[in-house]
Amino acid sequence: MKSFVRERNFLILLTGLLINGVGGGVYAVSGMLLVLHLTENVLFSGLAYFSITLASTLAFLVAPFANYVTYKKGLIVSGLLKSALLFTIPLFYLTVGLNVFYVLVLLFVVALVSQFTYPIESTITPIIVGQDHIIKANSFLHTIREGMGIAFLAGAGILVVFVGPVHAIFITAICHLLTSITYLFFNFQQPSLPESKDSFTQLLSSYTNDLKAGIQYIQHSLIPKMIVSIVFVNLAMGIMVPNLPAFALIKGNENEAIYGLYLASLSFGIMIGAILTPRIKELDFGRLVISSFSITGMMWIGAAIFPVVPSIVLFCTGAISIGIINILIFSAIQQQVETSYIGRVITVLSSAAAIGAPFGGLIGGMIGSTFTPIVPVFLCGVAMIIFSLSWLSSSILRKLPRIEDARLFPNHLSEKV
């Protein structure tokens, strides 16, 4: 047990993430299935994914406002708001009825609120555990979260079969409420806030300056060189993900629980990646990306072709690289960026990288409804191989050393030294 694991605030953060893991597992299965049930059309699953991922591309408009509330208050209020919004789904279902377009809008709003909390969670982790423990702490959190997520997702698939997606979303709402209560017990140092006397114009100006600062911070780093290829990966994932519910129904002979197993296998693969990360972080990052994503592509092509059992195994294996790369890039940013800039840098990066996802959802919905949901999964596998080849063709990305030696922000590092 590492020292940070026993730290009070870290345990509170971990508890909140685990509760969210329960709700998130149920929501991941029930949200997309609810849209599919209401319409029986994969195209609307694509629209649902578009709604959710569009919020990620707008994160740069929302997340900087996190600088104007204490971290603790921001997490608590966001959880309460998401809980209240999700409670309306079972409420309307039992009273006036549920409209698919209302569900699509609600999915977007809930995802948009989440964009407010992501940079806060990213910022408080190094505050709680210290700079020296970031990689180990992130690996620990991802391992625990994804490990529990496997059971949650698999269980959620079975739960939805018995109670239906609407009542399952009610469970997610309760989980967000419990998470807000848990975060009430945080006691780490909170940031100073702008004076309450500031006018809206002044706050807006300050917000704009924060946003520009985040963009300028990464302008002369290696991040812009990575963004184009990451956008391509998100486009490919966007084509695949909205088709997974219908894809799982085809593979599992209309058994809805199979969708939960596919999502659980995805989490299991990411968890394996998180476990492996501290052990392989010494490898050259460029070569690691190239080799791991080429394997991912082959695994997911196989998942599209083979029957359900080998398909789930291959789908899981292909997800390992995602767990590895996410933690390494995320940890490098946390280590190399000043604490006051972490939230802004991650927001700008995630917003830019997420541009491909909503459009991928629309394309995937059209491909899945026109042909079969199997085709988008196959195409996503092909795209992963193309992604690895793009890194191979770039001398800068191909030659990146181990992540702790890869100076993503060379100017800022030199200034700090």
Side-chain angles (χ1 to χ4, degrees):
M1 295 284 286
K2 304 298 180 183
S3 58
F4 66 82
V5 179
R6 301 189 187 97
E7 209 278 327
R8 180 178 184 272
N9 290 300
F10 183 82
L11 290 175
I12 293 172
L13 176 63
L14 179 61
T15 302
L17 292 176
L18 288 177
I19 297 173
N20 268 335
V22 177
V26 175
Y27 185 63
V29 176
S30 57
M32 298 291 285
L33 278 177
L34 175 60
V35 173
L36 190 62
H37 278 213
L38 291 173
T39 63
E40 297 183 352
N41 191 334
V42 175
L43 179 60
F44 279 90
S45 295
L47 289 173
Y49 190 72
F50 175 84
S51 300
I52 295 170
T53 54
L54 181 62
S56 298
T57 66
L58 299 177
F60 71 96
L61 296 175
V62 177
F65 285 106
N67 293 324
Y68 305 107
V69 297
T70 61
Y71 297 145
K72 178 177 177 179
K73 183 177 181 180
L75 292 173
I76 293 171
V77 173
S78 298
L80 291 174
L81 181 57
K82 286 188 285 187
S83 177
L85 289 170
L86 290 174
F87 271 128
T88 64
I89 287 184
L91 177 64
F92 288 174
Y93 178 77
L94 296 173
T95 55
V96 298
L98 200 56
N99 184 281
V100 66
F101 293 103
Y102 173 77
V103 175
L104 293 175
V105 171
L106 188 138
L107 291 175
F108 169 75
V109 175
V110 170
L112 196 62
V113 174
S114 295
Q115 303 311 311
F116 181 81
T117 62
Y118 290 153
I120 295 178
E121 293 172 351
S122 304
T123 301
I124 67 175
T125 302
I127 293 176
I128 291 173
V129 305
Q131 296 288 340
D132 295 336
H133 297 295
I134 287 175
I135 291 182
K136 291 181 180 178
N138 284 336
S139 178
F140 182 87
L141 286 172
H142 277 72
T143 301
I144 296 296
R145 182 164 47 188
E146 298 298 339
M148 297 298 289
I150 296 165
F152 298 153
L153 288 167
I158 298 172
L159 178 69
V160 171
V161 173
F162 287 100
V163 304
V166 173
H167 294 87
I169 287 177
F170 178 76
I171 296 174
T172 302
I174 293 176
C175 289
H176 282 304
L177 177 61
L178 293 176
T179 302
S180 293
I181 295 173
T182 301
Y183 288 153
L184 283 170
F185 298 96
F186 271 136
N187 66 351
F188 60 86
Q189 184 65 40
Q190 301 295 311
S192 57
L193 300 176
E195 292 292 334
S196 58
K197 298 178 182 179
D198 290 348
S199 67
F200 176 77
T201 303
Q202 291 173 311
L203 289 176
L204 185 61
S205 176
S206 180
Y207 156 77
T208 304
N209 291 334
D210 285 346
L211 180 59
K212 289 179 180 178
I215 295 174
Q216 291 172 353
Y217 200 98
I218 70 170
Q219 208 167 29
H220 302 292
S221 70
L222 292 180
I223 297 300
K225 293 181 173 63
M226 297 180 179
I227 285 178
V228 175
S229 55
I230 295 175
V231 168
F232 178 75
V233 168
N234 283 334
L235 178 71
M237 291 291 290
I239 290 174
M240 178 181 72
V241 172
N243 285 278
L244 277 182
F247 174 80
L249 290 175
I250 292 173
K251 292 288 185 179
N253 295 320
E254 302 302 317
N255 185 347
E256 293 177 340
I258 298 298
Y259 178 45
L261 293 179
Y262 269 100
L263 293 179
S265 72
L266 185 67
S267 287
F268 187 45
I270 294 173
M271 185 196 71
I272 295 173
I275 295 173
L276 292 175
T277 299
R279 295 170 174 79
I280 64 175
K281 66 178 182 178
E282 301 301 321
L283 298 176
D284 288 348
F285 185 63
R287 294 179 181 179
L288 180 61
V289 171
I290 294 168
S291 59
S292 61
F293 273 88
S294 61
I295 294 173
T296 294
M298 291 185 287
M299 294 298 103
W300 284 356
I301 289 173
I305 297 173
F306 290 106
V308 61
V309 174
S311 174
I312 291 175
V313 173
L314 292 172
F315 196 68
C316 168
T317 307
I320 294 175
S321 63
I322 298 176
I324 295 172
I325 304 306
N326 279 351
I327 290 181
L328 289 179
I329 293 180
F330 190 65
S331 299
I333 291 174
Q334 286 179 310
Q335 283 182 315
Q336 298 183 27
V337 176
E338 291 94 330
T339 300
S340 60
Y341 278 89
I342 290 176
R344 281 172 276 185
V345 169
I346 289 178
T347 296
V348 172
L349 174 60
S350 60
S351 294
I355 290 174
F359 298 101
L362 293 178
I363 296 171
M366 289 187 288
I367 293 175
S369 61
T370 303
F371 301 101
T372 168
I374 295 175
V375 173
V377 178
F378 182 91
L379 292 177
C380 185
V382 173
M384 295 300 118
I385 296 176
I386 295 175
F387 169 76
S388 67
L389 293 176
S390 71
W391 275 61
L392 182 63
S393 64
S394 170
S395 60
I396 295 177
L397 298 178
R398 182 178 67 247
K399 295 177 181 178
L400 283 175
R402 70 189 186 107
I403 194 65
E404 292 183 343
D405 294 332
R407 296 176 58 167
L408 302 181
F409 303 88
N411 293 338
H412 301 295
L413 282 181
S414 60
E415 289 170 6
K416 289 171 72 176
V417 175

